[in-house]
């Protein structure tokens, strides 16, 4: 919870984005994930869509907040029942939400704050472990930048 609070706080400190921090998620794939998720859980689809839109608009505070909601909703589904019974779209949604959260966190002038960077790297790592392969390349690029 402390890391999330730091990410939301740091995301609210600056509005000007860095060019390399623009959303690198494949927009077509993301739209397909949101549409598929919408058929199952409108709240999760809405949160993920708003998180992605906020990243695109460089609204880092909103991106951090919406991605946290999307992460939490996906996390609950991923940790309910047997893993083989979870629809793959939830893994994609979790990975995309982790990416949005980490981009929002690292797009502020908090890059020198080690704790925030470690929190962002942990978020990317969780996205890689629990997510599917649709957003793996984007998460790996972000992880390399954070290291």
């Amino acid at each position: 919870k402390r890391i999330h609070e730091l990410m939301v706080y740091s995301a609210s400190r600056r509005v000007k984005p860095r060019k390399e921090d623009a959303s690198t998620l494949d927009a077509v794939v993301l739209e397909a994930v949101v549409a598929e998720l919408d058929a199952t859980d409108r709240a999760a689809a809405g949160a993920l869509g708003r998180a992605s839109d906020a990243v695109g608009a460089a609204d880092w505070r909103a991106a951090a907040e919406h991605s946290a909601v999307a992460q939490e909703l996906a996390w609950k589904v991923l940790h309910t029942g047997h893993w083989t019974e979870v629809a793959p779209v939830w893994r994609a949604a979790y990975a995309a939400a982790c990416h949005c959260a980490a981009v929002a966190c690292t797009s502020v002038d908090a890059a020198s704050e080690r704790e925030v960077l470690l929190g962002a790297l942990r978020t990317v790592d969780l996205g890689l472990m629990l997510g599917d392969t649709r957003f793996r390349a984007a998460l790996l690029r972000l992880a390399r930048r954070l290291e």
Side-chain angles (χ1 to χ4, degrees), residues 20-31 33-34 48 51-53 55 67 92-101 103 133-142:
E20 69 271 11
D21 288 338
S23 178
T24 56
L25 294 177
D26 184 322
V28 174
V29 176
L30 182 62
E31 284 180 30
V33 168
V34 170
L48 182 57
S52 176
D53 290 346
V55 168
S67 61
Y94 188 76
C98 287
H99 185 275
C100 289
V103 167
T133 58
R134 287 178 249 195
F135 300 113
R136 186 170 183 78
L139 285 167
L140 287 171
R141 281 193 303 273
L142 189 53

Side-chain angles (χ1 to χ4, degrees), residues 9-61:
Y9 166 75
S10 65
S12 67
R13 296 190 341 177
R14 188 175 136 224
V15 176
K16 184 180 176 188
R18 296 179 191 163
K19 286 185 181 180
E20 69 271 11
D21 288 338
S23 178
T24 56
L25 294 177
D26 184 322
V28 174
V29 176
L30 182 62
E31 284 180 30
V33 168
V34 170
E36 187 179 348
L37 194 58
D38 191 50
T40 307
D41 188 320
R42 285 206 136 140
L48 182 57
R50 287 188 297 275
S52 176
D53 290 346
V55 168
D59 184 350
W60 307 123
R61 182 173 185 81

